[in-house]
Amino acid sequence: MSEDFNALEKAIIEIEPDKAETLAKQIVDSNADPKKLVTTISKALEIVGKKFQNEEYYLPELVMAGEISKSILAIAEPILKSEEQGPKVSIVVGTVQGDLHDLGKNIFVTFASSAGFNVIDLGNDVSVDRFIEAVKGEKARILGLSCLLTATDKELSKVIEALKKENIREKVMVIIGGAAITEELVKEVGGDAFAPDAITGLEQIKEWL
Ligand code: B12
């Protein structure tokens, strides 16, 4: 089993879509731990990201690695989903404006929906106004922001400032995740919690309720 995970990690890093899909199917059929699958994808993508940074890989490889991960997550949906009965609390989620990364956010959406939350997924490249409109319209108690680019991290404080301006800041807990995020940055922009991964994020939200 752990060989399958290692082989899957290697197939993503080496951009081998067919191999990755076959291995993902094998892993899903064996009813493996969904957390381990998410960690494997994240680890592989981190290495792909480093290769991109070192100019060993270029944009096509980055795109392909993202596409492979998307199809693995689609294959893995049955094991990522659980039938947990959770609180019918609304969570508005989205990736900030200017940022098109959505794989990590989508993983969180899958986990939170299957834990019984009412998740309103605004997608990626979401403007401040759309976040505010959705939080107000859904009377959401939780706002989840995803941000992977340092170039777009200023959007985080813009969203939080807008919540204050609308007098709804104290009604909403703001949790922030993504590769560009650190605990310090969350404090700096005035968020409530940093989510290093989707599962820790979900645990934090459950603690708040
Ligand atoms: C795949 C990928 C892409 C794909 C995205 C596909 C998609 N649909 O998402 C594509 C090819 C589109 C892409 C484009 C670009 N990318 Co890119 N990309 C990546 C890569 C390799 C993986 C990201 C990923 O999906 N990781 C896996 C997921 C599972 O992890 P995650 O997002 O961190 O999510 C987990 C947690 O963070 C958390 N989480 C995340 N969000 C949230 C939200 C909430 C509410 C909660 C609770 C939790 C949570 O839970 C998740 C699961 O546990 C990263 C490398 C890296 N280290 O992250 C670079 C990376 C993010 N990209 C980078 C760059 C530079 C770009 C481009 C600018 C490249 C270019 N020259 O065009 C463009 C920008 C496009 C744009 N405007 O957004 C840089 C960013 C550098 C920086 N500091 O700003 C990185 C770090 C690569 C690098 N090392 O240089 N990219």
Side-chain angles (χ1 to χ4, degrees), residues 7-16 20 40-41 44-45 48 57 65 68-69 72:
L8 179 63
E9 185 183 324
K10 194 161 170 272
I12 301 171
I13 296 169
E14 291 178 359
I15 320 287
E16 294 179 301
T40 302
I41 298 174
L45 287 178
V48 171
Y57 277 178
I68 295 173
S69 305
I72 297 172

Side-chain angles (χ1 to χ4, degrees), residues 38-39 42 46 104-105 107-108 145-148 175-183 186 193-204:
V38 171
T39 321
S42 301
E46 207 179 309
K105 176 213 35 98
I107 293 173
F108 170 70
L145 301 174
S146 189
C147 175
L148 277 87
I175 186 157
I176 312 175
I181 309 303
T182 58
E183 192 101 51
V186 171
F194 165 53
D197 59 73
I199 293 159
T200 313
L202 191 58
E203 277 162 8
Q204 171 65 74

Side-chain angles (χ1 to χ4, degrees), residues 38 41-42 45-46 48-50 52-53 59 62-67 70 93 98-105 107-108 124 143-151 175-180 195-199 201-202 205:
V38 171
I41 298 174
S42 301
L45 287 178
E46 207 179 309
V48 171
K50 289 214 173 93
F52 173 74
Q53 221 168 3
L59 202 52
L62 205 60
V63 173
M64 279 302 289
E67 289 304 317
K70 229 180 219 173
V93 191
D99 189 343
L100 302 178
H101 297 85
D102 62 2
L103 292 169
K105 176 213 35 98
I107 293 173
F108 170 70
N124 56 12
L143 172 61
L145 301 174
S146 189
C147 175
L148 277 87
L149 298 172
T150 38
I175 186 157
I176 312 175
D197 59 73
I199 293 159
L202 191 58
I205 291 170

Side-chain angles (χ1 to χ4, degrees), residues 16-111:
E16 294 179 301
D18 295 341
K19 204 169 179 181
E21 284 193 14
T22 308
L23 286 160
K25 281 181 192 140
Q26 247 164 259
I27 289 172
V28 170
D29 288 343
S30 65
N31 240 332
D33 179 2
K35 289 183 197 167
K36 189 127 192 253
L37 189 72
V38 171
T39 321
T40 302
I41 298 174
S42 301
K43 245 171 80 187
L45 287 178
E46 207 179 309
I47 295 168
V48 171
K50 289 214 173 93
K51 284 183 183 285
F52 173 74
Q53 221 168 3
N54 300 337
E55 297 184 359
E56 192 183 326
Y57 277 178
Y58 294 94
L59 202 52
E61 284 89 357
L62 205 60
V63 173
M64 279 302 289
E67 289 304 317
I68 295 173
S69 305
K70 229 180 219 173
S71 64
I72 297 172
L73 289 169
I75 293 168
E77 201 150 335
I79 61 164
L80 291 176
K81 283 205 158 147
S82 76
E83 296 307 317
E84 233 181 284
Q85 289 299 317
K88 277 285 160 220
V89 167
S90 295
I91 307 180
V92 167
V93 191
T95 304
V96 297
Q97 190 156 39
D99 189 343
L100 302 178
H101 297 85
D102 62 2
L103 292 169
K105 176 213 35 98
N106 293 348
I107 293 173
F108 170 70
V109 168
T110 304
F111 279 130

